[in-house]
């Protein structure tokens, strides 16, 4: 800084005496300025005075327009206006023949006419360096003018004007673009520091400019869809790319065969994806390119995939007739269309695949409800696709009554609960009625009945369906329950007989034992008699 002195407090018409050159006769001229620093174009009052007592002639030498405002015996007050640049002022005075003078310097200041941040690129890639330029036009004194860059309210860099740059009106700084810079507002500001002159710091701020940053991976988007699309279906097609910033600003377009697909884009985190539902119409049959274009900032990424669109209808399987009586012939025929081949038809004799396969069969009862299946294959883009068709055969047969489902002999206990089982097989399913041969009395089948003696007899069961009727004789034997009282009496009699028998046996045995003991007693007595000495 050129001037370094303590800040003077400058009252209106009190100023410095810049230089006083004393005249030889002791007459001094002095100059007083109302201000030493002033804005460009401003006015200034200058008081030229002298100590000369008589014959004084005072004047002010300047290039600027001046007016004498007041004067005293030894002073003159001038006003200078429209001062455009820094300049020297000189007061001179002729005191008699002696001339003396005093001079002073005035400094002008001005605010920059233009402070502007150079336009930023529309998009700035993350990780690349961005140069910010601040253009400053005008402004004085330049040595006291500096530039500060801001991101939002945060100071980035400060530099004095004209120190380093080749262009005196431009200051630059570099910023490494990051995701955090996205949406940030950059600006620059000039600071005209007039504190050394006792004034303040004057600020001029540029308009803010908003930065948009982006990040894009080097990879292309991914296409998620099946390679094979069938006419008549709806297929979901998804295109996505991860690692984008800002994902919300990315645009994804899907095209099929040159036509834009209506798609729905979503973004979550750094992932953006677009989903379209393709209505596969017959006009689309053939191969088409599926394209996905991603646009972010001024960048494009695209992906492509070939789709094979085919139409394939299931084979037509016919059974003629599809309802047939047992023993009749049925023709089974399977036809494939649109280049497809019948590769398998149940129970057909083996053969090479052909668009049509048929055979006849002799319908039997076992063929009722039988499923026939036909498979057709279509080759699309090296892949074999299969479609099946099934048909059911209905064979009319019966009715049949056999021992398994309708046994001939039944033996029931009178009074018990029994069910007569007699079922018939056949298609359509037959109805069975059983009636007694003798009197046509009905006996219901398949329901629980209480058996009575009167039910016995031979019944004729008849199974009837629209396909015919058949009969079978069923005999029913009823036996009466045994009388419990008779059995009880017999048991009691048997017990009595047993008891009597036992009593007789025990009595006889006891008598024999007594007789034996008597005999032994007599023998003992005889022995004793023989041994005893005679009296
Ligand atoms: C001009 O200066 C002289 C001498 O200092 C002083 O006497 C006079 O009052 C001043 N004039 C004005 C208008 O201040
Ligand atoms: C001026 O440039 C030099 C090198 O070119 C550098 O070291 C210095 O910091 C710069 N000064 C300012 C105020 O930017
Ligand atoms: C930048 O300025 C715009 C418009 O004035 C404002 O909407 C936006 O929020 C600012 N950005 C930041 C990061 O403050
Ligand atoms: C510069 O700032 C000053 C005040 O600090 C103001 O009076 C002036 O009009 C500003 N100039 C421009 C071009 O904005
Ligand atoms: C793409 O398809 C695969 C399998 O078909 C699936 O696992 C994956 O989630 C899909 N991705 C998107 C973004 O839909
Ligand atoms: C079909 O089978 C039935 C009985 O099995 C037989 O009587 C008939 O002749 C067969 N018909 C043909 C055409 O084979
Ligand atoms: C069609 O039949 C084949 C066997 O013949 C089987 O592998 C395939 O899963 C079936 N497809 C359908 C859709 O039923
Ligand atoms: C049924 O009973 C009759 C005579 O009562 C007999 O001839 C026949 O063998 C019996 N049948 C069976 C399967 O028990
Ligand atoms: C049973 O079939 C015979 C001919 O086989 C027929 O004459 C008779 O009317 C049929 N009975 C019933 C009840 O349908």
């Amino acid at each position: 800084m050129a001037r370094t002195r303590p800040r003077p407090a400058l009252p209106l018409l009190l100023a410095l005496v810049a230089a006083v050159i004393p005249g030889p006769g002791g007459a001094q001229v002095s100059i007083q300025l109302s201000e030493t620093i002033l804005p460009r174009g401003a006015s200034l009052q200058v008081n030229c005075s002298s100590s000369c007592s008589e014959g004084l002639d005072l004047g002010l030498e300047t290039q600027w327009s001046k007016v004498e405002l007041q004067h005293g015996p030894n002073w003159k007050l001038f006003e200078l206006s429209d001062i455009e640049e820094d300049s020297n002022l000189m007061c001179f005075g002729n005191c008699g023949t002696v001339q003396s003078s005093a001079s002073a310097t005035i400094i002008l200041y001005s605010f920059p006419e233009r402070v502007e941040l150079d336009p930023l690129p529309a998009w700035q890639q993350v990780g690349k360096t961005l140069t910010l330029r601040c253009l400053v036009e005008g402004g004085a004194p330049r040595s006291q003018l500096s530039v500060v860059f801001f991101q939002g309210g945060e100071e980035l860099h400060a530099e004095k004007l004209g120190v380093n740059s080749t262009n005196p009106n431009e200051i630059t700084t570099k910023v490494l673009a990051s995701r955090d810079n996205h949406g940030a507002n950059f600006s620059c500001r000039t600071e005209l520091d007039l504190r050394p002159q006792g004034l303040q710091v004057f600020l001029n701020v540029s308009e803010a400019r908003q930065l948009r940053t982006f990040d894009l991976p080097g990879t292309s988007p991914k296409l998620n869809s099946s390679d094979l699309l069938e006419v008549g279906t709806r297929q979901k097609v998804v295109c996505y790319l991860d690692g984008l910033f800002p994902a919300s600003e990315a645009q994804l377009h899907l095209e099929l065969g040159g036509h834009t697909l209506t798609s729905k884009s979503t973004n979550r985190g750094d992932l953006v994806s677009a989903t379209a539902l393709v209505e596969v119409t017959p006009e689309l049959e053939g191969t088409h390119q599926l394209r996905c274009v991603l646009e972010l900032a001024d960048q494009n990424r695209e992906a492509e995939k070939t789709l094979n669109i085919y139409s394939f209808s299931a084979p037509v399987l016919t059974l003629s007739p599809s309802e047939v009586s047992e023993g009749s012939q049925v023709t089974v025929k399977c036809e494939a269309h649109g280049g497809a081949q019948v590769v398998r038809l149940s129970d057909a004799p083996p053969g090479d695949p052909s668009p049509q396969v048929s055979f006849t069969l002799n319908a039997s009862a076992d063929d009722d409800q039988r499923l026939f299946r036909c498979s057709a294959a279509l080759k699309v883009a090296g892949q074999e696709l299969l479609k099946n068709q099934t048909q059911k055969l209905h064979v009319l047969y019966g009715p049949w009554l056999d021992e398994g489902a309708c046994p001939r002999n039944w033996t029931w206990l009178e009074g018990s609960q029994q069910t007569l089982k007699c079922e018939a097989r056949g298609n359509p399913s037959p109805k069975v009625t059983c009636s007694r041969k003798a009197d046509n009395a009905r006996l219901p089948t398949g329901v629980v009945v209480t058996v009575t003696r009167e039910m016995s007899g031979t019944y004729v069961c008849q199974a009837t369906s629209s396909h015919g009727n058949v009969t079978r004789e069923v005999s029913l034997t009823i036996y009466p329950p045994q009388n419990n009282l008779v059995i009880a009496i017999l048991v009691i009699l048997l017990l009595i007989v047993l008891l009597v028998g036992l009593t007789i046996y025990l009595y006889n045995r006891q008598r024999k034992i007594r007789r034996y003991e008597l005999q032994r007693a007599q023998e003992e007595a005889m022995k004793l008699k023989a041994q005893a000495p005679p009296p």
Side-chain angles (χ1 to χ4, degrees):
M1 249 144 265
R3 265 158 283 257
T4 45
R5 52 187 177 125
R7 266 174 160 202
L10 276 182
L12 185 60
L13 251 178
L14 163 73
L16 79 164
V17 178
V20 179
I21 304 161
Q28 286 179 343
V29 172
S30 57
I31 182 166
Q32 284 174 299
L33 307 178
S34 59
E35 280 145 292
T36 52
I37 181 148
L38 66 159
R40 191 202 303 267
S43 306
L44 175 70
Q45 291 183 3
V46 183
N47 186 350
C48 289
S49 57
S50 170
S51 53
C52 181
S53 43
E54 48 194 79
L56 177 65
D57 182 16
L58 267 178
L60 174 63
E61 198 183 281
T62 177
Q63 71 208 82
W64 311 115
S65 57
K66 65 176 183 205
V67 193
E68 191 186 308
L69 287 182
Q70 289 173 22
H71 60 87
N74 55 350
W75 58 268
K76 273 186 183 163
L77 183 67
F78 299 97
E79 188 179 64
L80 307 186
S81 54
D82 301 329
I83 306 166
E84 286 300 326
E85 49 189 62
D86 295 359
S87 43
N88 268 309
L89 304 176
M90 191 163 75
C91 285
F92 59 88
N94 293 322
C95 190
T97 54
V98 185
Q99 192 177 49
S100 53
S101 64
S103 67
T105 309
I106 50 172
I107 298 169
L108 289 178
Y109 69 88
S110 65
F111 305 126
E113 290 124 38
R114 183 171 159 226
V115 179
E116 201 179 303
L117 189 69
D118 215 28
L120 302 174
W123 284 96
Q124 175 71 27
Q125 185 156 14
V126 166
K128 296 220 166 146
T129 304
L130 170 72
T131 302
L132 299 176
R133 287 170 209 285
C134 189
L135 301 169
V136 180
E137 279 176 19
R142 280 243 153 184
S143 60
Q144 280 163 263
L145 194 58
S146 55
V147 170
V148 184
F149 287 94
F150 284 91
Q151 175 180 342
E154 183 198 344
E155 191 176 316
L156 291 177
H157 174 72
E159 190 175 324
K160 279 204 157 181
L161 206 64
V163 172
N164 256 1
S165 55
T166 47
N167 180 346
N169 289 339
E170 184 187 90
I171 296 279
T172 61
T173 188
K174 290 189 188 316
V175 173
L176 183 67
S178 71
R179 290 186 175 202
D180 294 339
N181 293 142
H182 184 66
N185 294 316
F186 288 94
S187 61
C188 66
R189 176 171 97 179
T190 56
E191 295 183 355
L192 183 61
D193 186 359
L194 295 181
R195 282 175 302 186
Q197 282 79 30
L199 300 179
Q200 64 197 82
V201 180
F202 293 94
L203 308 177
N204 283 89
V205 184
S206 75
E207 293 272 321
R209 294 196 189 271
Q210 200 166 15
L211 182 69
R212 293 191 293 174
T213 60
F214 73 93
D215 202 357
L216 197 55
T219 54
S220 44
K222 310 259 180 311
L223 270 171
N224 228 14
S225 87
S226 158
D227 299 347
L228 303 179
L229 267 57
E230 187 182 344
V231 167
T233 60
R234 257 180 182 207
Q235 295 284 334
K236 199 167 106 172
V237 171
V238 180
C239 179
Y240 63 96
L241 187 60
D242 204 357
L244 292 183
F245 177 83
S248 57
E249 304 251 350
Q251 301 277 322
L252 274 175
H253 307 284
L254 280 163
E255 274 176 25
L256 180 62
H259 296 284
T260 306
L261 296 174
T262 318
S263 60
K264 196 172 149 269
S265 289
T266 54
N267 59 281
R268 186 163 30 87
D270 290 348
L271 176 92
V272 63
S273 71
T275 308
L277 268 183
V278 181
E279 205 76 57
V280 190
T281 56
E283 298 80 63
L284 287 172
E285 200 174 329
T287 56
H288 293 285
Q289 289 302 106
L290 176 67
R291 237 162 61 92
C292 174
V293 181
L294 176 120
E295 287 173 19
L296 177 62
D298 47 0
Q299 308 279 310
N300 272 7
R301 297 273 189 282
E302 61 174 86
E304 225 174 17
K305 184 173 187 175
T306 305
L307 299 188
N308 291 284
I309 298 174
Y310 65 92
S311 63
F312 182 18
S313 46
V316 179
L317 176 61
T318 46
L319 304 175
S320 45
S322 63
E323 189 175 90
V324 73
S325 288
E326 189 181 11
S328 314
Q329 285 200 319
V330 177
T331 304
V332 181
K333 185 167 87 173
C334 185
E335 280 178 289
H337 300 282
Q341 304 271 304
V342 173
V343 289
R344 210 178 75 88
L345 175 60
S346 357
D347 302 306
D352 288 337
S354 72
Q356 185 183 326
V357 173
S358 66
F359 68 96
T360 54
L361 90 152
N362 199 350
S364 72
D366 291 340
D367 294 326
D368 187 36
Q369 306 294 312
R370 178 166 158 196
L371 275 180
F372 289 86
R373 177 192 292 265
C374 178
S375 300
L378 182 71
K379 275 214 167 68
V380 184
Q383 289 191 51
E384 193 177 63
L385 306 171
L386 274 182
K387 278 203 176 175
N388 300 333
Q389 176 77 47
T390 56
Q391 292 288 347
K392 198 186 266 184
L393 180 65
H394 300 273
V395 179
L396 301 176
Y397 70 95
W400 290 352
L401 282 172
D402 56 23
E403 185 61 28
C406 187
R408 269 190 207 285
N409 286 355
W410 295 86
T411 308
W412 287 348
L413 174 67
E414 187 185 353
S416 63
Q417 305 272 306
Q418 302 288 352
T419 306
L420 179 70
K421 204 167 84 79
C422 185
E423 284 158 7
R425 296 204 296 124
N427 181 25
S429 36
K431 231 179 88 186
V432 179
T433 53
C434 296
S435 46
R436 195 151 48 195
K437 246 178 156 175
D439 56 358
N440 265 353
R442 282 286 187 94
L443 182 63
T445 60
V447 293
V448 179
V449 291
T450 304
V451 177
T452 61
R453 196 170 302 205
E454 292 72 40
M455 283 177 179
S456 68
T458 298
Y459 288 80
V460 175
C461 288
Q462 182 175 47
T464 314
S465 76
S466 57
H467 203 242
N469 66 55
V470 71
T471 58
R472 185 174 169 87
E473 287 196 359
V474 170
S475 68
L476 192 55
T477 313
I478 313 287
Y479 62 91
Q482 301 300 327
N483 197 329
N484 289 346
L485 191 65
V486 175
I487 294 169
I489 290 168
L490 284 177
V491 169
I492 290 168
L493 282 177
L494 192 71
L495 281 176
I496 290 170
V497 168
L498 280 175
L499 213 62
V500 170
L502 190 70
T503 311
I504 294 167
Y505 166 75
L506 286 177
Y507 174 77
N508 283 344
R509 194 170 171 252
Q510 202 65 39
R511 246 190 20 197
K512 270 185 199 159
I513 291 171
R514 217 175 286 146
R515 205 188 304 156
Y516 169 72
E517 279 178 352
L518 204 62
Q519 207 177 322
R520 271 192 54 181
Q522 282 171 351
E523 280 169 14
E524 286 288 321
M526 300 240 282
K527 263 186 219 167
L528 281 174
K529 233 182 238 169
Q531 281 169 5

